[in-house]
Amino acid sequence: MNAPTTIMSRPVTGEDNLLDRLGFGVVAVHGSTIIRASDRVGRMLGQDAERLIGRDLLTLLADGDDIARLRAWLVSAYDAPVGSASRELLTRPDGMGRCWRILLHELDGGSQHTRAIVLTAAQAETAPATEVQAMELRRTVRNLLDANPVAAFLISTDHVVMHWSRACEAVVGYPASGMIGTRNHWKPFYDHAQPVLADMIVDGLSYEDACKVYPGPLSRSDRVEGGLESFSYFPEMGDGGRWLLFTAAPVRNAQGGVMGAIETVVDITEIKRAEQALRDSRNQLEELVSQRTEQLVVAKRALEEDIAKREEAEQSLRTRYTELTDLNMKLAEANAQIQAAQNQLVQNEKLASIGQLAAGVAHEINNPIGYVFSNFGSLEKYINEMLTLIARYRTAEPQISDPGLRAGLADLREKLDLDFLEEDAQALMRESREGIERVRKIVQDLKDFSHVDANSEWQEADLHQGLDSTLNIVRNELKYHAEVVREYGTLPLVHCLLSQLNQVFMNLLVNAGHALEGRQGGRIVVRTGCDQSEVWVEIEDNGCGMSEETLGRIFDPFFTTKPIGRGTGLGLSLSYGIVQKHNGRIEVDSRVGQGTRFRVVLPRRQPDEAPALQEVGV
């Protein structure tokens, strides 16, 4: 079919004769403005040829971003080799798609030779499918860049701006219409032509050479392979100047060759202002600290003088205090037995209340834990079924005929890190199940440990079960100081008040843990055993031990070696009373620096029991 020809040349004579001699539609332009058009061109474009003069040819051939792209090609076409060709798929303003074949010819104008651009048009539906796809891909890339809130522009290998995003227009204040098809991408940033990061990328400069050329600070990008980064302050940009962060990276084709470069521009002015504000605040703080220090020095001198006066007054008070202390000691001895009895009653009431509260809390927690555990099993089953389905989908993925869909699935799988999700989901389920089972065990042990209903009734009980429940309750108290080793023997069921014995075991275990604080290699051994008439429970540690003087007072009420606030001095005293109530005894063996061993000995049968008792193994 006939096609219009665009002639771009230096001024020539006899141009009208040249246009008339061509056997196809011809149009002569200055830049892209029509200065002459043949009648055949007018018929092709549906207008009178004379009315075309003065109009922009590009707006008649294309629409939207295609105009800027075609304009860039025409600007560079004059210097291209004769015979160069390009195929461009364009959309006219009337919505009709055409595939233009653009050729660079040298026309014979009689005594002169004139370079001309020949454009041959075909309907879009007759164009090769690959060109249609290429056009759609270019439009998609442009749309993605325009939709991205990060400012960016794209240049070709000959440093011509191919795209200038809307965000870039907003940040630097230059419209895309004045940039696309030009080499003026330096203008928003500098007052004279000099390379930006994208120019050095397409020129293939090494990092060392780029540092010599680039006017600002430069670093390699740790986020983009082969990329460069820099930041600069532009005092004339915006209100009060702007700080901009630049990142440039190569754009490669399928073979890995560089076909251009993309550069992003991020406004970091607020970050820089925040950093400056932080520095100003730090300087103000340092100045304030200096002032406060001087004030403290003055206050210290005044305080020292006041202390000297107080020491004189305190010396006189010490004398009076010594006299009062002697009187108070006599009074304390008289009240000690009364206080001991009262406190033992109070402690027993507290233990009963705590046990009742613990049993109630354990019961309330146990109900939701039950259905959480049940639902967790179903959830674990559903996740395993979903993972099986995903594996089947992955096996069927190569059978997908659409390469775009297949590539999208592969990108999504890599983005989600599906292999890690499958492995981590199973690990999370295992850990969660272990956690829920541990909560159930703690709740059960808390119920067993409380046994409020057994406080006033004797029963046949398994001491091993009581020890395990108690160890679980005090686990948090011991796990940072000691390794707990169980060396259980075979014990019969013992007629006892198990909740009270659990209190004895807890006091001994907590004391052993305190004795191991600050020591490496702490170890607590819990042993059990029996003979024909007695059962015994030993709790041994390798802690600090006790002196002979301390051993003589450990069962006295209110005696403690712990710091103020950590012990009441009633733990061993109450334990001693509980064991005596069971017709048993507590034996102690301790050496300073080596450790302590407590042995609780109980009768296999209370005096009023029948001789036959069931035995339980470990």
Side-chain angles (χ1 to χ4, degrees):
M1 66 182 290
N2 293 330
T5 299
T6 303
I7 298 177
M8 300 180 62
S9 68
R10 299 181 179 87
V12 297
T13 60
E15 185 181 76
D16 293 343
N17 293 333
L18 177 62
L19 296 177
D20 292 339
R21 288 163 52 189
L22 294 175
F24 39 77
V26 177
V27 60
V29 298
H30 179 71
S32 63
T33 304
I34 300 174
I35 60 176
R36 174 138 174 93
S38 66
D39 292 338
R40 185 171 295 181
V41 170
R43 289 194 298 272
M44 293 175 62
L45 298 178
Q47 300 186 43
D48 185 75
E50 292 298 327
R51 295 190 177 185
L52 295 177
I53 296 175
R55 297 187 61 180
D56 191 327
L57 174 64
L58 301 184
T59 60
L60 299 174
L61 298 179
D63 189 20
D65 292 338
D66 290 334
I67 295 178
R69 179 161 52 85
L70 190 57
R71 190 186 304 276
W73 192 92
L74 290 175
V75 169
S76 61
Y78 184 78
D79 297 325
V82 174
S84 299
S86 174
R87 188 182 296 272
E88 300 290 338
L89 187 62
L90 307 174
T91 302
R92 285 180 48 184
D94 57 8
M96 179 180 297
R98 290 183 181 271
C99 183
W100 295 89
R101 182 169 176 79
I102 306 173
L103 301 174
L104 179 62
H105 283 274
E106 189 153 313
L107 302 179
D108 188 358
S111 61
Q112 300 189 35
H113 291 275
T114 303
R115 285 192 166 191
I117 308 300
V118 179
L119 295 89
T120 304
Q123 292 296 339
E125 57 268 18
T126 66
T130 55
E131 295 181 2
V132 177
Q133 294 173 358
M135 176 186 179
E136 294 301 325
L137 179 60
R138 287 194 295 270
R139 288 183 176 176
T140 301
V141 171
R142 290 196 297 271
N143 291 338
L144 287 174
L145 289 176
D146 283 337
N148 196 319
V150 177
F153 62 88
L154 183 69
I155 68 171
S156 63
T157 53
D158 56 357
H159 304 273
V160 175
V161 178
M162 304 302 294
H163 187 75
W164 192 270
S165 72
R166 294 188 179 92
C168 201
E169 292 179 332
V171 171
V172 304
Y174 275 69
S177 60
M179 287 294 171
I180 295 177
T182 73
R183 296 185 176 89
N184 296 331
H185 45 284
W186 55 269
K187 280 190 174 181
F189 313 109
Y190 309 111
D191 55 4
H192 61 280
Q194 59 184 30
V196 299
L197 296 184
D199 292 318
M200 294 185 287
I201 292 290
V202 298
D203 286 340
L205 294 183
S206 66
Y207 174 71
E208 292 74 15
D209 292 338
C211 290
K212 298 176 183 177
V213 175
Y214 194 69
L218 189 63
S219 63
R220 292 186 178 93
S221 175
D222 57 359
R223 296 172 292 177
V224 182
E225 182 179 358
L228 297 173
E229 287 189 356
S230 179
F231 64 89
S232 297
Y233 178 67
F234 299 91
E236 304 300 327
M237 190 175 292
D239 297 331
R242 286 183 180 175
W243 284 92
L244 299 180
L245 172 65
F246 303 94
T247 303
V251 178
R252 302 184 185 274
N253 55 27
Q255 291 73 34
V258 176
M259 55 186 294
I262 185 170
E263 182 166 346
T264 61
V265 184
V266 179
D267 188 346
I268 58 171
T269 305
E270 294 303 322
I271 296 176
K272 288 293 185 179
R273 289 175 178 172
E275 291 175 352
Q276 183 61 43
L278 182 61
R279 285 191 292 269
D280 294 342
S281 298
R282 184 181 61 187
N283 293 337
Q284 293 176 2
L285 181 60
E286 290 176 351
E287 182 179 356
L288 180 60
V289 169
S290 177
Q291 295 174 357
R292 295 295 188 189
T293 302
E294 294 178 0
Q295 295 174 359
L296 288 174
V297 170
V298 175
K300 180 175 176 293
R301 295 194 188 100
L303 181 61
E304 289 174 347
E305 295 175 357
D306 185 62
I307 289 174
K309 295 178 181 178
R310 289 176 179 271
E311 287 177 348
E312 294 178 1
E314 287 176 358
Q315 184 59 42
S316 61
L317 288 175
R318 288 192 191 99
T319 303
R320 297 292 305 273
Y321 177 76
T322 302
E323 297 173 354
L324 291 174
T325 299
D326 294 339
L327 295 175
N328 287 335
M329 288 180 62
K330 296 178 181 179
L331 181 61
E333 291 175 358
N335 293 331
Q337 294 181 348
I338 298 175
Q339 289 180 353
Q342 290 177 339
N343 280 279
Q344 286 187 18
L345 290 174
V346 172
Q347 188 71 7
N348 287 337
E349 289 296 324
K350 286 183 179 179
L351 291 175
S353 299
I354 292 173
Q356 186 174 6
L357 178 62
V361 171
H363 177 73
E364 292 298 324
I365 294 176
N366 197 46
N367 289 335
I369 285 296
Y371 58 73
V372 168
F373 189 83
S374 175
N375 292 345
F376 186 84
S378 299
L379 177 62
E380 186 174 27
K381 176 184 175 183
Y382 298 157
I383 288 179
N384 289 333
E385 292 174 350
M386 290 175 64
L387 293 178
T388 301
L389 180 59
I390 291 172
R392 290 292 180 88
Y393 282 154
R394 185 184 299 178
T395 303
E397 182 180 329
Q399 306 302 322
I400 298 175
S401 60
D402 187 345
L405 177 57
R406 195 165 56 245
L409 289 174
D411 291 342
L412 180 59
R413 184 171 64 251
E414 181 178 355
K415 179 180 178 181
L416 296 179
D417 199 353
L418 188 58
D419 293 336
F420 170 76
L421 289 180
E422 291 177 358
E423 180 182 353
D424 195 44
Q426 295 175 355
L428 289 175
M429 296 302 292
R430 288 195 301 271
E431 293 173 2
S432 299
R433 176 176 287 276
E434 292 173 1
I436 294 175
E437 289 177 348
R438 171 151 178 76
V439 171
R440 292 184 69 186
K441 182 66 169 60
I442 291 174
V443 170
Q444 185 59 45
D445 289 340
L446 193 59
K447 292 174 65 178
D448 293 342
F449 184 79
S450 63
H451 274 301
V452 176
D453 56 348
N455 280 340
S456 60
E457 295 182 7
W458 292 72
Q459 61 179 345
E460 302 291 331
D462 180 5
L463 295 185
H464 288 160
Q465 181 181 356
L467 283 168
D468 289 338
S469 296
T470 304
L471 284 170
N472 201 23
I473 294 297
V474 300
R475 176 177 178 273
N476 191 65
E477 185 77 13
L478 303 180
K479 64 181 181 181
Y480 300 108
H481 310 303
E483 172 192 10
V484 178
V485 179
R486 295 176 174 89
E487 295 180 359
Y488 290 171
T490 301
L491 294 182
L493 295 177
V494 176
H495 196 65
C496 63
L497 298 171
L498 184 59
S499 61
Q500 293 191 11
L501 290 180
N502 285 345
Q503 182 66 41
V504 174
F505 301 150
M506 184 179 72
N507 289 337
L508 297 179
L509 287 168
V510 170
N511 285 345
H514 290 170
L516 291 168
E517 290 181 357
R519 299 174 69 91
Q520 298 293 329
R523 191 167 186 265
I524 298 175
V525 180
V526 181
R527 300 187 187 92
T528 63
C530 67
D531 54 24
Q532 295 298 322
S533 59
E534 296 177 327
V535 298
W536 49 267
V537 176
E538 275 188 4
I539 297 177
E540 181 179 4
D541 65 75
N542 59 348
C544 60
M546 293 179 287
S547 64
E548 291 292 335
E549 180 182 358
T550 302
L551 279 174
R553 301 187 58 190
I554 58 174
F555 297 114
D556 292 346
F558 307 108
F559 175 77
T560 180
T561 60
K562 299 174 184 177
I564 296 175
R566 290 203 61 184
T568 62
L570 293 174
L572 288 178
S573 175
L574 289 174
S575 298
Y576 184 85
I578 291 171
V579 173
Q580 279 194 327
K581 183 177 181 180
H582 285 74
N583 297 305
R585 64 185 184 278
I586 299 181
E587 300 172 354
V588 188
D589 182 18
S590 181
R591 291 178 175 80
V592 176
Q594 297 183 19
T596 302
R597 177 178 58 83
F598 282 87
R599 171 178 279 203
V600 177
V601 182
L602 302 171
R604 292 182 62 151
R605 295 178 296 272
Q606 294 299 324
D608 56 344
E609 285 190 68
L613 288 174
Q614 180 184 1
E615 292 195 347
V616 294
V618 180

